[in-house]
């Protein structure tokens, strides 16, 4: 930049016209992002610490972060935390996978053929309003109290929402993409597999990511059914013995596992659909 | 010249009862082999509907549409369609989009290895014809609107369609890009010799490209006037300023205004002014 006498060279500050992070939908650098994300996690942690360290607060009512961490360690060393986590992850992912495997072809059919939509959508809409918890007695009656019963509850809680959302993803495929294929000579099956499915894939993966979160919220409900292991079961048992710190560990662990899975889905999205992530 | 597309007393009704819309009524038109026909007319006069019927994407409720004297049965590779937008496949790179028809069973039947080789040669040729060689490995959403439409045209041409149907393909492009595309599509028309049916809102575009301009009128959608374009077969941008061109443009614009049944902007303004004066 040319500087004339009497004018100071301008620095590239927020005043230089570059939009700052507080402008509407303004930019945020990677470092800034992590800074804010850390803030969002650490501030609640700090508040929790302060709230729990007051002398008047009963540990049974609100354990502090240190108590919770200690409980995490003893759970790991004495109570086989890993197998509790393992069995819960197994239940959730199996229920979720069953749900996904059945929902995907159904959603493709619902989103593609109007008669299928007419038959299945109102029915699914009806069922999804039924609370999954209320199915527990029926599941015990029909499926028993084995592992499959817990998986069934997760399935019931996830499946119906998943079908409807996936069908919507399929319906959102632009008609022009479908018709372009038809005027290039694509048959029905080819149009579904080479265009509709391919075009819907990114949205479908996003739907899987969101519904995976919902599957986890049904874990505690599922482990109400004659379980003797698992994170949800441990939370329920801890409640009976007033081990508030253990309830905290269980809840936080479920949150963390959910967070990890969410990030894995996002990573998969970036790897599988690079054209959607060109500008980030 | 032989008739390629024969539209005979075609009618199209959408919906029933109070939703009933007569989109087309008694439309008859013969389009010759290798002819370039453009369709203009007020919004809602059924241009898109007529094009989609030829493409087999919509069913007519009366009359007949014949291609090579055969009634059409749904969409087919002999009648490729280029849409205004959103028709490219964002998950395929430019080259893969152009070669899309090679993935279809229809394109693979009765193929010899020479055909397969010829096909990739053709894809390359179309790529360079469209000036897209440098973009072969780009994703569609990395391209400008004009480049995306060139990909769509190349993809439509890949299967050597005898008929190319275009519904406002340049409607979303700026004026300069559009001029480039006009000369490109004329070049394609000379080179590949498809029969071309082209819908547009832009009367200048309609005249510049066409052998004949078909003017349609709404409510119910019908053909109002057919204009022969009095220009030499080889078109040049300068012809847009010739008296014949300007006269025809004026005539068509006036007729669209008359047939549209809507108050023209000028009419609306006059009315507003009068109200103010009172
Ligand atoms: N799928 C449909 N269902 C009901 N009515 C329709 C449908 N498609 C078109 N129409 C109606 O048919 C008439 C003609 O529509 P069409 O899209 O062919 O007009 P157009 O000449 O292409 O208009 P534009 O210039 O705005 O694109 C309109 O009145 C429209 O509302
Ligand atoms: Mg239209």
């Amino acid at each position: 930049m040319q500087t004339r006498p009497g004018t100071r060279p301008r620095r590239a500050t927020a005043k230089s016209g570059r939009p700052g992070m507080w402008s509407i939908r303004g930019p945020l650098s990677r470092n800034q992002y992590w800074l804010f994300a850390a803030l969002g996690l650490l501030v609640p942690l700090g508040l929790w610490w302060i709230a729990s360290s007051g002398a008047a607060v009963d540990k049974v009512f609100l354990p502090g972060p240190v108590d919770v961490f200690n409980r995490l360690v003893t759970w790991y060393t004495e109570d086989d935390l890993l197998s509790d986590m393992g069995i819960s992850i197994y239940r959730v992912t199996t229920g979720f996978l069953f749900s996904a495997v059945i929902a995907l072809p159904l959603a493709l059919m619902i989103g593609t053929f109007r008669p299928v939509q007419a038959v299945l959508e109102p029915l699914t809409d009806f069922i999804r309003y039924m609370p999954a918890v209320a199915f527990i007695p029926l599941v015990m009656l029909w499926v028993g109290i084995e592992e499959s019963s817990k998986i069934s509850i997760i399935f019931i809680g996830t499946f119906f929402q998943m079908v409807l959302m996936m069908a919507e993803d399929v319906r959102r495929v632009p008609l022009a993409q479908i018709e372009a294929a038809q005027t290039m000579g694509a048959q029905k099956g080819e149009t579904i597999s080479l265009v509709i499915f391919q075009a819907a894939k990114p949205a479908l993966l996003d739907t899987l990511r969101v519904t995976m979160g919902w599957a986890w919220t049904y874990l505690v409900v599922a482990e109400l059914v004659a379980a003797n292991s698992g994170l949800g079961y441990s939370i329920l048992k801890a409640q009976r013995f007033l081990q508030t710190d253990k309830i905290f560990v269980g809840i936080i662990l479920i949150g963390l596992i959910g967070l990890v899975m969410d990030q894995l889905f996002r990573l998969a999205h970036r790897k599988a659909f690079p054209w959607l992530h060109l500008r980030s | 010249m032989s008739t390629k597309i024969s539209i005979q007393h075609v009618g199209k009704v959408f919906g029933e009862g109070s939703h009933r819309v007569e989109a087309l009524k008694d439309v008859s038109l013969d389009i010759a082999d290798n002819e370039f026909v453009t369709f203009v007319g007020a919004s809602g006069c059924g241009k898109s509907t007529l094009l989609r019927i030829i493409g087999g994407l919509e069913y007519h409720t009366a009359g007949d549409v014949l291609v090579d004297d055969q009634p059409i049965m749904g969409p087919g590779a002999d009648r490729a369609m280029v849409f205004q937008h959103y028709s490219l496949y964002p998950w395929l790179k430019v080259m893969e989009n152009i070669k899309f028809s090679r993935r279809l069973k229809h394109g693979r039947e009765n193929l010899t290895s020479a055909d397969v080789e010829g096909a990739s040669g053709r894809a390359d040729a179309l790529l360079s014809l469209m000036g897209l060689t440098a973009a072969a490995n780009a994703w569609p959403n990395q391209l400008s609107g004009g480049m995306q439409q060139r990909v769509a045209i190349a993809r439509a041409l890949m299967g050597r369609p005898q008929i190319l149907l275009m519904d406002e393909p340049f409607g979303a492009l700026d004026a300069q890009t559009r001029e480039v595309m006009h000369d490109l599509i004329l070049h394609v028309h000379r080179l590949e010799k498809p029969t071309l049916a082209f819908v547009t809102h832009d009367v200048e575009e309609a005249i510049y490209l066409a052998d004949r301009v078909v003017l349609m009128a709404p409510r119910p959608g019908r053909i109002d006037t057919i204009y022969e374009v009095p220009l030499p077969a080889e078109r040049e941008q300068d012809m847009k300023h010739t008296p014949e061109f300007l006269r025809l443009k004026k005539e068509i614009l006036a007729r669209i205004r008359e047939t549209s049944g809507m108050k023209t902007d000028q009419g609306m303004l006059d009315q507003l002014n009068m109200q103010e004066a009172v």
Side-chain angles (χ1 to χ4, degrees):
Chain A
M1 195 204 297
Q2 209 179 338
T3 54
R4 273 173 282 133
T7 59
R8 263 182 289 151
R10 253 184 285 159
R11 271 180 301 154
T13 60
K15 282 186 186 135
S16 69
R18 193 151 46 104
M21 65 171 106
W22 293 112
S23 61
I24 292 172
R25 299 207 176 157
L28 198 62
S29 75
R30 206 137 188 88
N31 286 341
Q32 287 168 327
Y33 175 86
W34 288 117
L35 184 73
F36 278 101
L39 218 61
L41 290 173
L42 291 180
V43 168
L45 189 68
L47 290 178
W48 172 26
W49 200 316
I50 293 165
S52 62
S53 60
V57 180
D58 190 342
K59 288 235 179 300
V60 174
F61 185 69
L62 182 64
V66 180
D67 308 311
V68 170
F69 182 77
N70 287 337
R71 169 61 75 172
L72 173 72
V73 174
T74 52
W75 192 351
Y76 176 73
T77 51
E78 291 160 30
D79 284 339
D80 208 1
L81 171 67
L82 287 187
S83 76
D84 278 328
M85 279 172 67
I87 191 75
S88 287
I89 292 175
Y90 165 75
R91 283 166 184 158
V92 171
T93 31
T94 315
F96 172 80
L97 284 178
F98 266 115
S99 172
V101 165
I102 302 173
L104 181 66
L106 274 180
L108 273 173
M109 292 299 113
I110 294 175
T112 307
F113 299 110
R114 297 301 293 276
V116 183
Q117 179 188 356
V119 171
L120 291 182
E121 213 168 40
L123 179 70
T124 316
D125 245 330
F126 170 61
I127 299 176
R128 84 182 162 118
Y129 280 105
M130 302 176 179
V133 196
F135 278 94
I136 290 179
L138 290 177
V139 167
M140 288 170 79
L141 189 65
W142 293 337
V143 186
I145 54 170
E146 305 302 310
E147 211 46 58
S148 49
S149 63
K150 289 119 203 163
I151 294 169
S152 301
I153 295 290
I154 306 253
F155 176 87
I156 292 170
T158 324
F159 175 73
F160 300 98
Q161 298 278 357
M162 197 191 247
V163 173
L164 290 176
M165 286 177 69
M166 285 181 151
E168 191 55 37
D169 294 337
V170 173
R171 255 198 304 276
R172 285 221 188 87
V173 174
L175 188 60
Q177 291 182 2
I178 295 168
E179 293 183 336
Q182 290 173 332
T183 67
M184 285 186 276
Q187 311 279 300
K188 224 183 264 181
E190 290 174 321
T191 307
I192 294 173
S193 65
L194 295 177
V195 178
I196 298 179
F197 179 49
Q198 303 301 326
K201 259 190 199 165
L204 289 171
L205 188 63
D206 264 331
T207 295
L208 286 180
R209 180 173 62 78
V210 172
T211 44
M212 179 60 143
W214 295 346
W216 275 99
T217 62
Y218 284 101
L219 177 69
V220 179
V221 174
E223 292 183 351
L224 275 172
V225 188
N228 47 26
S229 60
L231 291 175
Y233 161 78
S234 301
I235 291 173
L236 293 168
K237 200 175 75 176
Q239 178 208 4
R240 233 176 296 141
F241 295 103
L242 279 181
Q243 295 170 313
T244 321
D245 48 358
K246 192 162 183 179
I247 298 179
F248 268 68
V249 176
I251 293 175
I252 292 173
L253 279 178
I254 291 178
L256 284 177
I257 296 170
L259 186 67
V260 168
M261 293 208 168
D262 204 86
Q263 290 300 319
L264 288 177
F265 268 107
R266 285 176 197 274
L267 182 72
H269 204 279
R270 279 197 295 276
K271 291 282 171 244
F273 313 120
W275 66 93
L276 292 173
H277 303 274
L278 295 172
R279 270 172 232 87
S280 60
Chain B
M1 226 185 268
S2 65
T3 300
K4 186 72 186 176
I5 306 169
S6 183
I7 301 161
Q8 300 169 352
H9 309 289
V10 161
K12 171 72 186 179
V13 175
F14 285 110
E16 309 158 30
S18 61
H19 296 289
R20 189 186 140 96
V21 178
E22 194 160 20
L24 293 174
K25 186 179 183 184
D26 197 20
V27 171
S28 292
L29 177 73
D30 280 351
I31 301 177
D33 202 9
N34 193 27
E35 196 180 353
F36 200 138
V37 177
T38 52
F39 295 84
V40 295
S43 188
C45 66
K47 305 181 294 289
S48 298
T49 305
L50 183 59
L51 208 69
R52 291 170 58 78
I53 287 173
I54 301 171
L57 297 172
E58 206 88 71
Y59 249 109
H60 44 297
T61 45
D64 294 298
V65 180
L66 306 178
V67 170
D68 291 328
D69 298 322
Q70 297 297 314
I72 51 167
M73 296 289 193
D78 57 329
R79 284 156 288 136
M81 187 123 169
V82 177
F83 300 81
Q84 184 168 355
H85 40 210
Y86 306 130
S87 78
L88 289 183
Y89 300 134
W91 62 93
L92 298 177
K93 300 238 173 107
V94 165
M95 190 55 154
E96 298 166 312
N97 257 288
I98 293 175
K99 285 183 176 171
F100 180 80
S101 58
R102 313 305 303 178
R103 298 176 182 223
L104 304 174
K105 191 156 110 252
H106 159 86
R108 289 197 305 267
E109 266 166 13
N110 313 319
L111 275 189
T112 63
S113 58
D115 289 338
V116 176
E117 259 170 49
S120 40
R122 177 164 175 78
D124 285 332
L126 284 170
L127 210 59
S128 73
L129 173 66
M130 294 291 156
L132 290 165
T133 311
N137 281 314
W139 300 107
N141 64 0
Q142 292 176 298
L143 305 182
S144 68
M147 289 168 94
Q148 291 187 12
Q149 280 312 71
R150 279 185 269 165
V151 179
I153 295 169
R155 187 181 62 179
L157 289 170
M158 185 66 196
R160 296 183 195 277
Q162 296 167 10
I163 296 169
L164 196 56
L165 306 166
M166 308 181 95
D167 193 355
E168 302 190 31
F170 310 142
L173 306 183
D174 62 89
Q176 281 79 37
T177 313
R178 213 159 356 165
E179 283 198 349
V180 175
M181 298 300 284
H182 291 161
D183 290 328
L184 186 62
I185 199 70
L186 285 173
H187 187 55
V188 165
H189 183 235
R190 271 194 301 272
L191 220 62
E192 299 269 327
K193 306 217 182 316
T195 304
L196 241 152
F198 186 112
V199 171
T200 176
H201 269 122
D202 180 346
V203 173
E204 193 171 288
E205 173 173 279
I207 300 171
Y208 182 66
L209 295 176
D211 300 315
R212 284 190 296 165
V213 179
V214 177
L215 195 160
M216 295 179 65
R219 281 176 296 275
R222 61 195 186 273
I223 292 180
D224 181 81
T225 321
I226 298 176
Y227 301 88
E228 299 275 344
V229 177
L231 297 174
E234 293 275 317
R235 302 289 156 88
E236 279 159 29
Q237 291 290 344
D238 285 343
M239 292 175 189
K240 290 181 181 169
H241 310 293
T242 58
E244 307 92 287
F245 191 100
L246 294 172
R247 203 179 312 122
L248 184 57
K249 182 176 165 187
K250 202 171 157 192
E251 192 181 334
I252 294 177
L253 280 172
R255 188 62 199 154
I256 292 176
R257 227 171 285 141
E258 280 167 32
T259 56
S260 71
M262 281 186 282
K263 290 264 187 298
T264 59
D265 290 352
Q266 193 54 51
M268 292 283 270
L269 285 173
D270 290 346
Q271 207 176 358
L272 283 171
N273 286 337
M274 258 160 52
Q275 279 168 358
E276 247 164 49
V278 171

